[in-house]
Amino acid sequence: MRFPIFRDQGLYRVGGTNLVYEIEISISDFTGKGIIYCFGVIPNDLSQNEINIQVYEN
């Protein structure tokens, strides 16, 4: 297993109510186990909306 490296993240509004949380990672040449913890701050008026999570490998 190769180690993931966190590159970027963003919480975006698509349309009026849809939210997309995007995470960009790279995969290193180092072997081992890797875990990436990510979080976002969501305004209260959007806290009940569904959030789509997309992970991109760079």
Side-chain angles (χ1 to χ4, degrees):
M1 179 183 289
R2 293 175 20 198
F3 192 77
I5 301 170
F6 174 80
R7 294 291 180 203
D8 198 11
Q9 68 179 346
L11 180 65
Y12 304 99
R13 206 174 194 174
V14 178
T17 58
N18 297 333
L19 296 175
V20 176
Y21 182 53
E22 294 181 353
I23 301 168
E24 183 180 343
I25 62 170
S26 294
I27 303 298
S28 76
D29 292 334
F30 300 106
T31 57
K33 294 182 181 179
I35 297 173
I36 296 176
Y37 294 99
C38 299
F39 67 93
V41 177
I42 303 167
N44 284 336
D45 59 330
L46 299 175
S47 64
Q48 299 302 312
N49 293 39
E50 182 176 323
I51 300 174
N52 296 312
I53 298 173
Q54 297 179 352
V55 179
Y56 297 98
E57 184 179 334
N58 179 337

Short mmCIF file of all heavy atoms in Angstrom, two decimals:
data_model
loop_
_atom_site.label_atom_id
_atom_site.label_comp_id
_atom_site.label_asym_id
_atom_site.label_seq_id
_atom_site.Cartn_x
_atom_site.Cartn_y
_atom_site.Cartn_z
N MET A 1 0.85 -1.18 0.00
CA MET A 1 0.00 0.00 0.00
C MET A 1 0.89 1.24 0.00
O MET A 1 1.85 1.31 0.73
CB MET A 1 -0.90 -0.01 1.23
CG MET A 1 -1.81 1.19 1.32
SD MET A 1 -2.83 1.24 2.80
CE MET A 1 -3.95 -0.07 2.43
N ARG A 2 0.57 2.21 -0.84
CA ARG A 2 1.35 3.44 -0.89
C ARG A 2 0.67 4.53 -0.08
O ARG A 2 -0.54 4.53 0.07
CB ARG A 2 1.55 3.85 -2.34
CG ARG A 2 2.43 2.82 -3.04
CD ARG A 2 2.63 3.00 -4.49
NE ARG A 2 2.36 4.31 -5.03
CZ ARG A 2 2.15 4.54 -6.29
NH1 ARG A 2 2.17 3.56 -7.15
NH2 ARG A 2 1.92 5.76 -6.73
N PHE A 3 1.42 5.46 0.42
CA PHE A 3 0.97 6.46 1.37
C PHE A 3 0.29 7.65 0.67
O PHE A 3 0.85 8.24 -0.24
CB PHE A 3 2.18 6.94 2.18
CG PHE A 3 1.83 7.75 3.36
CD1 PHE A 3 1.36 7.16 4.51
CD2 PHE A 3 1.99 9.12 3.34
CE1 PHE A 3 1.04 7.91 5.62
CE2 PHE A 3 1.68 9.89 4.45
CZ PHE A 3 1.21 9.28 5.59
N PRO A 4 -0.94 8.04 1.07
CA PRO A 4 -1.60 9.21 0.48
C PRO A 4 -1.06 10.51 1.07
O PRO A 4 -0.75 10.58 2.26
CB PRO A 4 -3.07 9.02 0.84
CG PRO A 4 -3.03 8.24 2.11
CD PRO A 4 -1.82 7.35 2.02
N ILE A 5 -0.95 11.54 0.25
CA ILE A 5 -0.52 12.87 0.69
C ILE A 5 -1.64 13.86 0.39
O ILE A 5 -2.09 13.98 -0.76
CB ILE A 5 0.77 13.31 -0.04
CG1 ILE A 5 1.89 12.32 0.24
CG2 ILE A 5 1.17 14.72 0.37
CD1 ILE A 5 3.11 12.54 -0.62
N PHE A 6 -2.09 14.58 1.39
CA PHE A 6 -3.15 15.57 1.24
C PHE A 6 -2.62 16.76 0.46
O PHE A 6 -1.55 17.29 0.75
CB PHE A 6 -3.63 16.00 2.63
CG PHE A 6 -4.61 17.12 2.60
CD1 PHE A 6 -5.93 16.88 2.32
CD2 PHE A 6 -4.22 18.41 2.85
CE1 PHE A 6 -6.85 17.90 2.28
CE2 PHE A 6 -5.12 19.45 2.82
CZ PHE A 6 -6.43 19.20 2.53
N ARG A 7 -3.37 17.24 -0.55
CA ARG A 7 -2.95 18.39 -1.36
C ARG A 7 -3.87 19.60 -1.20
O ARG A 7 -3.41 20.71 -1.10
CB ARG A 7 -2.88 18.00 -2.84
CG ARG A 7 -1.81 17.01 -3.15
CD ARG A 7 -0.46 17.64 -2.98
NE ARG A 7 0.58 16.66 -3.28
CZ ARG A 7 1.80 16.74 -2.82
NH1 ARG A 7 2.16 17.73 -2.07
NH2 ARG A 7 2.67 15.82 -3.12
N ASP A 8 -5.19 19.39 -1.24
CA ASP A 8 -6.11 20.53 -1.20
C ASP A 8 -7.50 20.02 -0.84
O ASP A 8 -7.79 18.83 -0.94
CB ASP A 8 -6.15 21.20 -2.58
CG ASP A 8 -6.73 22.60 -2.54
OD1 ASP A 8 -6.92 23.16 -1.43
OD2 ASP A 8 -7.00 23.15 -3.62
N GLN A 9 -8.36 20.94 -0.40
CA GLN A 9 -9.74 20.61 -0.10
C GLN A 9 -10.61 21.83 -0.30
O GLN A 9 -10.11 22.96 -0.31
CB GLN A 9 -9.90 20.10 1.33
CG GLN A 9 -9.66 21.17 2.38
CD GLN A 9 -9.84 20.65 3.78
OE1 GLN A 9 -10.39 19.59 3.99
NE2 GLN A 9 -9.37 21.40 4.76
N GLY A 10 -11.89 21.62 -0.48
CA GLY A 10 -12.82 22.74 -0.63
C GLY A 10 -14.25 22.27 -0.51
O GLY A 10 -14.59 21.15 -0.90
N LEU A 11 -15.08 23.11 0.05
CA LEU A 11 -16.51 22.86 0.15
C LEU A 11 -17.19 23.86 -0.78
O LEU A 11 -17.04 25.07 -0.61
CB LEU A 11 -17.00 23.04 1.58
CG LEU A 11 -18.48 22.79 1.82
CD1 LEU A 11 -18.82 21.32 1.55
CD2 LEU A 11 -18.86 23.15 3.25
N TYR A 12 -17.89 23.33 -1.79
CA TYR A 12 -18.46 24.18 -2.82
C TYR A 12 -19.96 23.99 -2.90
O TYR A 12 -20.47 22.90 -2.69
CB TYR A 12 -17.85 23.83 -4.19
CG TYR A 12 -16.35 23.94 -4.19
CD1 TYR A 12 -15.56 22.81 -4.05
CD2 TYR A 12 -15.72 25.18 -4.31
CE1 TYR A 12 -14.17 22.90 -4.04
CE2 TYR A 12 -14.35 25.27 -4.30
CZ TYR A 12 -13.58 24.14 -4.16
OH TYR A 12 -12.21 24.24 -4.14
N ARG A 13 -20.63 25.07 -3.22
CA ARG A 13 -22.07 25.06 -3.42
C ARG A 13 -22.34 24.90 -4.91
O ARG A 13 -21.82 25.66 -5.72
CB ARG A 13 -22.64 26.37 -2.92
CG ARG A 13 -24.05 26.33 -2.50
CD ARG A 13 -24.41 27.66 -1.89
NE ARG A 13 -25.65 27.54 -1.19
CZ ARG A 13 -26.17 28.47 -0.47
NH1 ARG A 13 -25.54 29.61 -0.32
NH2 ARG A 13 -27.31 28.28 0.13
N VAL A 14 -23.14 23.91 -5.28
CA VAL A 14 -23.50 23.66 -6.68
C VAL A 14 -25.00 23.86 -6.78
O VAL A 14 -25.77 23.14 -6.14
CB VAL A 14 -23.09 22.23 -7.11
CG1 VAL A 14 -23.50 21.99 -8.55
CG2 VAL A 14 -21.61 22.01 -6.92
N GLY A 15 -25.41 24.81 -7.56
CA GLY A 15 -26.83 25.13 -7.62
C GLY A 15 -27.24 25.85 -6.34
O GLY A 15 -26.44 26.43 -5.64
N GLY A 16 -28.51 25.76 -6.00
CA GLY A 16 -29.00 26.47 -4.82
C GLY A 16 -28.73 25.77 -3.50
O GLY A 16 -28.43 26.42 -2.50
N THR A 17 -28.79 24.44 -3.48
CA THR A 17 -28.70 23.74 -2.20
C THR A 17 -27.70 22.59 -2.17
O THR A 17 -27.45 22.05 -1.11
CB THR A 17 -30.08 23.17 -1.81
OG1 THR A 17 -30.53 22.30 -2.85
CG2 THR A 17 -31.09 24.29 -1.61
N ASN A 18 -27.16 22.17 -3.30
CA ASN A 18 -26.23 21.04 -3.32
C ASN A 18 -24.85 21.45 -2.85
O ASN A 18 -24.34 22.51 -3.23
CB ASN A 18 -26.13 20.44 -4.73
CG ASN A 18 -27.44 19.86 -5.20
OD1 ASN A 18 -28.27 19.45 -4.40
ND2 ASN A 18 -27.64 19.83 -6.50
N LEU A 19 -24.24 20.61 -2.04
CA LEU A 19 -22.89 20.86 -1.55
C LEU A 19 -21.96 19.75 -2.03
O LEU A 19 -22.34 18.58 -2.05
CB LEU A 19 -22.87 20.90 -0.02
CG LEU A 19 -23.66 22.01 0.65
CD1 LEU A 19 -23.64 21.83 2.16
CD2 LEU A 19 -23.07 23.37 0.29
N VAL A 20 -20.75 20.12 -2.42
CA VAL A 20 -19.73 19.16 -2.84
C VAL A 20 -18.47 19.45 -2.03
O VAL A 20 -17.99 20.58 -2.00
CB VAL A 20 -19.43 19.25 -4.35
CG1 VAL A 20 -18.31 18.30 -4.73
CG2 VAL A 20 -20.67 18.97 -5.16
N TYR A 21 -17.96 18.42 -1.36
CA TYR A 21 -16.71 18.53 -0.61
C TYR A 21 -15.66 17.80 -1.42
O TYR A 21 -15.73 16.59 -1.62
CB TYR A 21 -16.88 17.90 0.77
CG TYR A 21 -15.66 17.99 1.65
CD1 TYR A 21 -15.03 19.21 1.89
CD2 TYR A 21 -15.14 16.85 2.24
CE1 TYR A 21 -13.92 19.29 2.70
CE2 TYR A 21 -14.03 16.92 3.06
CZ TYR A 21 -13.42 18.15 3.29
OH TYR A 21 -12.31 18.22 4.09
N GLU A 22 -14.69 18.55 -1.96
CA GLU A 22 -13.66 17.97 -2.81
C GLU A 22 -12.35 17.86 -2.04
O GLU A 22 -11.96 18.79 -1.34
CB GLU A 22 -13.44 18.82 -4.06
CG GLU A 22 -14.64 18.84 -4.98
CD GLU A 22 -14.41 19.67 -6.23
OE1 GLU A 22 -13.37 20.34 -6.34
OE2 GLU A 22 -15.29 19.65 -7.10
N ILE A 23 -11.69 16.73 -2.18
CA ILE A 23 -10.40 16.48 -1.56
C ILE A 23 -9.45 16.05 -2.66
O ILE A 23 -9.78 15.17 -3.47
CB ILE A 23 -10.50 15.36 -0.50
CG1 ILE A 23 -11.52 15.73 0.56
CG2 ILE A 23 -9.14 15.09 0.12
CD1 ILE A 23 -11.90 14.58 1.48
N GLU A 24 -8.27 16.66 -2.71
CA GLU A 24 -7.27 16.29 -3.69
C GLU A 24 -6.07 15.66 -2.97
O GLU A 24 -5.57 16.24 -2.00
CB GLU A 24 -6.81 17.50 -4.49
CG GLU A 24 -5.82 17.16 -5.57
CD GLU A 24 -5.38 18.38 -6.36
OE1 GLU A 24 -6.05 19.42 -6.30
OE2 GLU A 24 -4.35 18.28 -7.04
N ILE A 25 -5.65 14.50 -3.43
CA ILE A 25 -4.52 13.81 -2.82
C ILE A 25 -3.52 13.39 -3.91
O ILE A 25 -3.86 13.36 -5.09
CB ILE A 25 -4.95 12.56 -2.04
CG1 ILE A 25 -5.61 11.52 -2.96
CG2 ILE A 25 -5.86 12.91 -0.88
CD1 ILE A 25 -5.85 10.18 -2.32
N SER A 26 -2.32 13.11 -3.47
CA SER A 26 -1.30 12.47 -4.30
C SER A 26 -0.92 11.19 -3.60
O SER A 26 -1.07 11.07 -2.39
CB SER A 26 -0.06 13.35 -4.45
OG SER A 26 -0.35 14.51 -5.17
N ILE A 27 -0.42 10.24 -4.35
CA ILE A 27 0.04 8.99 -3.77
C ILE A 27 1.57 8.97 -3.84
O ILE A 27 2.15 9.11 -4.92
CB ILE A 27 -0.55 7.77 -4.51
CG1 ILE A 27 -2.08 7.82 -4.50
CG2 ILE A 27 -0.04 6.48 -3.89
CD1 ILE A 27 -2.71 7.77 -3.12
N SER A 28 2.21 8.84 -2.68
CA SER A 28 3.67 8.88 -2.62
C SER A 28 4.27 7.54 -3.05
O SER A 28 3.57 6.54 -3.20
CB SER A 28 4.13 9.21 -1.21
OG SER A 28 3.99 8.08 -0.38
N ASP A 29 5.57 7.54 -3.20
CA ASP A 29 6.30 6.32 -3.52
C ASP A 29 6.62 5.52 -2.27
O ASP A 29 7.11 4.41 -2.36
CB ASP A 29 7.60 6.65 -4.26
CG ASP A 29 7.32 7.21 -5.64
OD1 ASP A 29 6.26 6.89 -6.22
OD2 ASP A 29 8.16 7.98 -6.14
N PHE A 30 6.39 6.12 -1.09
CA PHE A 30 6.68 5.43 0.16
C PHE A 30 5.58 4.41 0.44
O PHE A 30 4.41 4.64 0.17
CB PHE A 30 6.75 6.42 1.33
CG PHE A 30 7.82 7.44 1.15
CD1 PHE A 30 7.51 8.75 0.82
CD2 PHE A 30 9.15 7.10 1.30
CE1 PHE A 30 8.48 9.70 0.65
CE2 PHE A 30 10.15 8.04 1.13
CZ PHE A 30 9.82 9.34 0.80
N THR A 31 5.95 3.30 0.99
CA THR A 31 4.97 2.28 1.32
C THR A 31 4.62 2.37 2.80
O THR A 31 5.41 2.85 3.61
CB THR A 31 5.49 0.87 1.00
OG1 THR A 31 6.71 0.67 1.70
CG2 THR A 31 5.73 0.71 -0.49
N GLY A 32 3.47 1.94 3.14
CA GLY A 32 2.99 1.97 4.52
C GLY A 32 1.52 2.30 4.54
O GLY A 32 0.89 2.52 3.52
N LYS A 33 0.98 2.34 5.72
CA LYS A 33 -0.43 2.68 5.88
C LYS A 33 -0.56 4.18 6.05
O LYS A 33 0.23 4.81 6.72
CB LYS A 33 -1.02 1.96 7.09
CG LYS A 33 -1.06 0.47 6.93
CD LYS A 33 -1.69 -0.19 8.11
CE LYS A 33 -1.70 -1.70 7.91
NZ LYS A 33 -2.28 -2.40 9.03
N GLY A 34 -1.60 4.73 5.45
CA GLY A 34 -1.82 6.16 5.57
C GLY A 34 -3.29 6.48 5.73
O GLY A 34 -4.14 5.85 5.11
N ILE A 35 -3.57 7.44 6.56
CA ILE A 35 -4.93 7.90 6.79
C ILE A 35 -4.93 9.41 6.67
O ILE A 35 -4.03 10.08 7.19
CB ILE A 35 -5.43 7.50 8.19
CG1 ILE A 35 -5.48 5.98 8.33
CG2 ILE A 35 -6.80 8.10 8.47
CD1 ILE A 35 -5.80 5.51 9.72
N ILE A 36 -5.91 9.95 6.00
CA ILE A 36 -6.06 11.40 5.88
C ILE A 36 -7.37 11.78 6.54
O ILE A 36 -8.43 11.26 6.18
CB ILE A 36 -6.06 11.86 4.42
CG1 ILE A 36 -4.71 11.55 3.77
CG2 ILE A 36 -6.37 13.34 4.32
CD1 ILE A 36 -4.66 11.88 2.30
N TYR A 37 -7.31 12.65 7.53
CA TYR A 37 -8.52 13.17 8.18
C TYR A 37 -8.81 14.56 7.60
O TYR A 37 -7.92 15.40 7.55
CB TYR A 37 -8.32 13.29 9.69
CG TYR A 37 -8.16 11.96 10.38
CD1 TYR A 37 -6.90 11.47 10.71
CD2 TYR A 37 -9.26 11.18 10.69
CE1 TYR A 37 -6.74 10.25 11.34
CE2 TYR A 37 -9.12 9.96 11.32
CZ TYR A 37 -7.86 9.50 11.64
OH TYR A 37 -7.71 8.30 12.27
N CYS A 38 -10.02 14.79 7.16
CA CYS A 38 -10.43 16.07 6.60
C CYS A 38 -11.75 16.48 7.22
O CYS A 38 -12.57 15.64 7.57
CB CYS A 38 -10.59 15.98 5.09
SG CYS A 38 -9.09 15.53 4.22
N PHE A 39 -11.95 17.79 7.36
CA PHE A 39 -13.22 18.27 7.88
C PHE A 39 -13.52 19.62 7.27
O PHE A 39 -12.63 20.30 6.76
CB PHE A 39 -13.21 18.36 9.41
CG PHE A 39 -12.28 19.40 9.94
CD1 PHE A 39 -12.73 20.68 10.22
CD2 PHE A 39 -10.94 19.11 10.17
CE1 PHE A 39 -11.87 21.65 10.69
CE2 PHE A 39 -10.08 20.07 10.66
CZ PHE A 39 -10.55 21.34 10.92
N GLY A 40 -14.77 19.99 7.29
CA GLY A 40 -15.19 21.29 6.78
C GLY A 40 -16.17 21.94 7.73
O GLY A 40 -16.84 21.27 8.51
N VAL A 41 -16.24 23.25 7.67
CA VAL A 41 -17.19 24.02 8.48
C VAL A 41 -18.36 24.37 7.57
O VAL A 41 -18.18 24.94 6.50
CB VAL A 41 -16.53 25.29 9.04
CG1 VAL A 41 -17.55 26.12 9.81
CG2 VAL A 41 -15.34 24.93 9.91
N ILE A 42 -19.55 23.99 8.00
CA ILE A 42 -20.76 24.19 7.20
C ILE A 42 -21.66 25.20 7.91
O ILE A 42 -21.94 25.04 9.10
CB ILE A 42 -21.51 22.85 7.02
CG1 ILE A 42 -20.59 21.83 6.37
CG2 ILE A 42 -22.78 23.04 6.20
CD1 ILE A 42 -21.12 20.42 6.42
N PRO A 43 -22.13 26.23 7.19
CA PRO A 43 -23.06 27.18 7.81
C PRO A 43 -24.33 26.47 8.28
O PRO A 43 -24.77 25.49 7.68
CB PRO A 43 -23.39 28.15 6.67
CG PRO A 43 -22.29 27.98 5.68
CD PRO A 43 -21.82 26.57 5.81
N ASN A 44 -24.91 26.94 9.37
CA ASN A 44 -26.11 26.32 9.94
C ASN A 44 -27.25 26.19 8.94
O ASN A 44 -27.96 25.19 8.95
CB ASN A 44 -26.60 27.11 11.16
CG ASN A 44 -25.74 26.84 12.37
OD1 ASN A 44 -25.09 25.81 12.47
ND2 ASN A 44 -25.73 27.78 13.29
N ASP A 45 -27.43 27.18 8.07
CA ASP A 45 -28.55 27.11 7.13
C ASP A 45 -28.36 26.01 6.07
O ASP A 45 -29.31 25.64 5.39
CB ASP A 45 -28.80 28.46 6.46
CG ASP A 45 -27.60 28.99 5.69
OD1 ASP A 45 -26.45 28.69 6.07
OD2 ASP A 45 -27.82 29.71 4.70
N LEU A 46 -27.15 25.44 5.94
CA LEU A 46 -26.91 24.35 4.99
C LEU A 46 -26.63 23.01 5.68
O LEU A 46 -26.36 22.02 5.03
CB LEU A 46 -25.71 24.69 4.09
CG LEU A 46 -25.86 25.94 3.23
CD1 LEU A 46 -24.58 26.23 2.50
CD2 LEU A 46 -27.01 25.78 2.25
N SER A 47 -26.73 22.98 7.00
CA SER A 47 -26.32 21.79 7.76
C SER A 47 -27.21 20.57 7.52
O SER A 47 -26.79 19.45 7.77
CB SER A 47 -26.25 22.10 9.25
OG SER A 47 -27.54 22.43 9.74
N GLN A 48 -28.42 20.77 7.01
CA GLN A 48 -29.32 19.63 6.76
C GLN A 48 -29.25 19.15 5.31
O GLN A 48 -29.89 18.18 4.96
CB GLN A 48 -30.76 20.01 7.10
CG GLN A 48 -30.96 20.38 8.56
CD GLN A 48 -30.55 19.24 9.49
OE1 GLN A 48 -30.95 18.10 9.29
NE2 GLN A 48 -29.77 19.55 10.50
N ASN A 49 -28.44 19.82 4.48
CA ASN A 49 -28.32 19.43 3.08
C ASN A 49 -27.40 18.22 2.93
O ASN A 49 -26.49 18.02 3.71
CB ASN A 49 -27.75 20.59 2.26
CG ASN A 49 -28.69 21.77 2.19
OD1 ASN A 49 -29.34 22.10 3.17
ND2 ASN A 49 -28.75 22.42 1.06
N GLU A 50 -27.65 17.46 1.87
CA GLU A 50 -26.78 16.33 1.55
C GLU A 50 -25.45 16.87 1.01
O GLU A 50 -25.42 17.85 0.27
CB GLU A 50 -27.44 15.46 0.48
CG GLU A 50 -26.64 14.25 0.11
CD GLU A 50 -27.35 13.35 -0.87
OE1 GLU A 50 -28.59 13.22 -0.77
OE2 GLU A 50 -26.67 12.80 -1.74
N ILE A 51 -24.36 16.22 1.39
CA ILE A 51 -23.03 16.63 0.93
C ILE A 51 -22.43 15.49 0.12
O ILE A 51 -22.32 14.36 0.59
CB ILE A 51 -22.10 16.97 2.11
CG1 ILE A 51 -22.69 18.11 2.93
CG2 ILE A 51 -20.70 17.31 1.61
CD1 ILE A 51 -21.92 18.41 4.19
N ASN A 52 -22.07 15.76 -1.13
CA ASN A 52 -21.40 14.78 -1.98
C ASN A 52 -19.89 14.94 -1.79
O ASN A 52 -19.37 16.05 -1.84
CB ASN A 52 -21.76 15.01 -3.45
CG ASN A 52 -23.23 14.79 -3.70
OD1 ASN A 52 -23.78 13.78 -3.27
ND2 ASN A 52 -23.87 15.72 -4.37
N ILE A 53 -19.21 13.84 -1.56
CA ILE A 53 -17.77 13.87 -1.34
C ILE A 53 -17.08 13.30 -2.57
O ILE A 53 -17.42 12.22 -3.04
CB ILE A 53 -17.39 13.05 -0.09
CG1 ILE A 53 -18.06 13.67 1.13
CG2 ILE A 53 -15.87 13.02 0.08
CD1 ILE A 53 -17.90 12.87 2.38
N GLN A 54 -16.10 14.06 -3.09
CA GLN A 54 -15.34 13.63 -4.25
C GLN A 54 -13.85 13.68 -3.91
O GLN A 54 -13.36 14.70 -3.42
CB GLN A 54 -15.63 14.52 -5.45
CG GLN A 54 -17.07 14.46 -5.89
CD GLN A 54 -17.38 15.35 -7.06
OE1 GLN A 54 -16.56 16.15 -7.48
NE2 GLN A 54 -18.58 15.22 -7.59
N VAL A 55 -13.15 12.59 -4.17
CA VAL A 55 -11.71 12.52 -3.92
C VAL A 55 -11.02 12.38 -5.27
O VAL A 55 -11.36 11.51 -6.07
CB VAL A 55 -11.36 11.32 -3.02
CG1 VAL A 55 -9.86 11.24 -2.79
CG2 VAL A 55 -12.10 11.42 -1.69
N TYR A 56 -10.06 13.28 -5.49
CA TYR A 56 -9.30 13.28 -6.73
C TYR A 56 -7.85 12.91 -6.44
O TYR A 56 -7.27 13.41 -5.48
CB TYR A 56 -9.32 14.66 -7.39
CG TYR A 56 -10.69 15.11 -7.80
CD1 TYR A 56 -11.44 15.97 -6.99
CD2 TYR A 56 -11.26 14.67 -8.98
CE1 TYR A 56 -12.71 16.38 -7.35
CE2 TYR A 56 -12.53 15.07 -9.35
CZ TYR A 56 -13.24 15.92 -8.53
OH TYR A 56 -14.49 16.32 -8.90
N GLU A 57 -7.29 12.05 -7.28
CA GLU A 57 -5.89 11.72 -7.15
C GLU A 57 -5.10 12.51 -8.17
O GLU A 57 -5.39 12.48 -9.36
CB GLU A 57 -5.67 10.21 -7.37
CG GLU A 57 -4.24 9.80 -7.15
CD GLU A 57 -4.05 8.31 -7.34
OE1 GLU A 57 -5.01 7.54 -7.16
OE2 GLU A 57 -2.92 7.93 -7.67
N ASN A 58 -4.11 13.24 -7.69
CA ASN A 58 -3.28 14.09 -8.52
C ASN A 58 -2.10 13.31 -9.03
O ASN A 58 -1.45 12.60 -8.38
CB ASN A 58 -2.83 15.29 -7.70
CG ASN A 58 -1.93 16.24 -8.45
OD1 ASN A 58 -1.29 15.86 -9.41
ND2 ASN A 58 -1.89 17.44 -7.99
#
